[in-house]
Amino acid sequence: EIVLTQSPGTLSLSPGERATLSCRASQSVSSSYLGWYQQKLGQAPRLLIYGASNRATGIPDRFSGSGSGTDFTLTIGRLEPEDFAVYYCQQHGSSRTFGQGTKLEIK
Amino acid sequence: QVQLVQSGSELKKPGASVKVSCKATGYIFTTYGINWVRQAPGQGLEWMGWINTNTGNPSYVQGFTGRFVFSVDTSVTTAYLQINSLKPEDTAVYYCARTLGPDQDFQYWGQGTLVTVSS
């Protein structure tokens, strides 16, 4: 099983700042099979990024994804108040697994 | 538009069974599989497995075999998750989800169903 480890566990930033979230895989994952999700309290997750770097439909361009192999990054360019949430990475190159999540909170 | 609408919250006693439904609309139901994801209170997301809606063949992740049963009724475009012999640790929100295309990420999600197991 591919284990995804996200860091940091919690990220405290202010609106307008830049957020960088990390997702590290225990073995190499094809970029095509790495996605990022946003989950707000009481809501279902929402797909943000698929194929490591492609924004899903309707996702603002302040969200961007990058990375390859075992190291992937989600960047939020300028934080808006609605961006404070929990973020998960998921791989589906070998079965499917989620990272444990990064909570992005207002500083 | 694609929609997945799940059944409402359930409160069950240990040892009982529960059946959660996921009604799909807006697309040809048998074209895409339905996945199930569990989220325990305050915890992350766990993929439980998926069911091929065309053949009815389920696939379970380790840890979700035995008491968990995926099924479909194509006549009403609905997928089901049944959990038997419920335990308190089954308390969670259960989501159904569908990919955008074959072997892709989960673009579409149900709203989630809270199952609470308590005596």
Side-chain angles (χ1 to χ4, degrees):
Chain A
E1 175 183 300
I2 296 178
V3 177
L4 299 179
T5 302
Q6 293 186 239
S7 61
T10 301
L11 184 57
S12 300
L13 293 171
S14 300
E17 291 192 292
R18 180 185 184 90
T20 303
L21 287 67
S22 172
C23 175
R24 179 162 290 178
S26 60
Q27 54 188 279
S28 185
V29 175
S30 168
S31 297
S32 300
Y33 300 134
L34 194 288
W36 289 92
Y37 298 82
Q38 176 194 67
Q39 187 179 32
K40 297 180 180 179
L41 193 63
Q43 296 185 16
R46 177 174 71 146
L47 179 64
L48 298 175
I49 301 288
Y50 65 93
S53 60
N54 303 289
R55 276 187 299 277
T57 303
I59 302 304
D61 60 8
R62 63 180 181 273
F63 291 90
S64 62
S66 63
S68 64
T70 60
D71 290 296
F72 297 89
T73 300
L74 173 70
T75 301
I76 310 173
R78 281 180 58 87
L79 286 166
E80 298 286 343
E82 62 267 26
D83 298 336
F84 292 90
V86 180
Y87 292 83
Y88 296 94
C89 56
Q90 184 205 43
Q91 67 80 27
H92 57 97
S94 173
S95 187
R96 286 181 185 267
T97 50
F98 288 95
Q100 84 280 16
T102 289
K103 181 181 180 181
L104 178 56
E105 64 176 23
I106 298 177
K107 187 174 182 180
Chain B
Q1 72 282 22
V2 174
Q3 281 195 304
L4 301 175
V5 179
Q6 298 183 226
S7 49
S9 298
E10 301 269 9
L11 174 61
K12 296 290 185 180
K13 294 190 184 302
S17 295
V18 68
K19 194 169 188 177
V20 175
S21 67
C22 172
K23 168 77 173 175
T25 58
Y27 70 100
I28 299 173
F29 181 65
T30 52
T31 304
Y32 299 95
I34 292 290
N35 292 261
W36 290 95
V37 176
R38 181 173 78 176
Q39 187 168 41
Q43 303 301 308
L45 304 169
E46 288 183 275
W47 182 57
M48 302 171 64
W50 72 290
I51 185 165
N52 184 318
T53 52
N54 188 39
T55 64
N57 184 43
S59 177
Y60 302 98
V61 171
Q62 191 173 7
F64 294 101
T65 56
R67 298 187 300 114
F68 298 83
V69 180
F70 305 152
S71 62
V72 293
D73 184 342
T74 56
S75 68
V76 290
T77 66
T78 299
Y80 301 94
L81 162 65
Q82 181 164 325
I83 312 172
N84 298 317
S85 303
L86 282 162
K87 303 175 181 181
E89 53 263 39
D90 294 325
T91 295
V93 175
Y94 293 85
Y95 294 99
C96 60
R98 202 212 88 177
T99 61
L100 180 60
D103 199 23
Q104 294 187 13
D105 297 276
F106 297 147
Q107 174 72 45
Y108 305 103
W109 293 74
Q111 82 275 22
T113 296
L114 173 62
V115 175
T116 303
V117 184
S118 174
S119 54

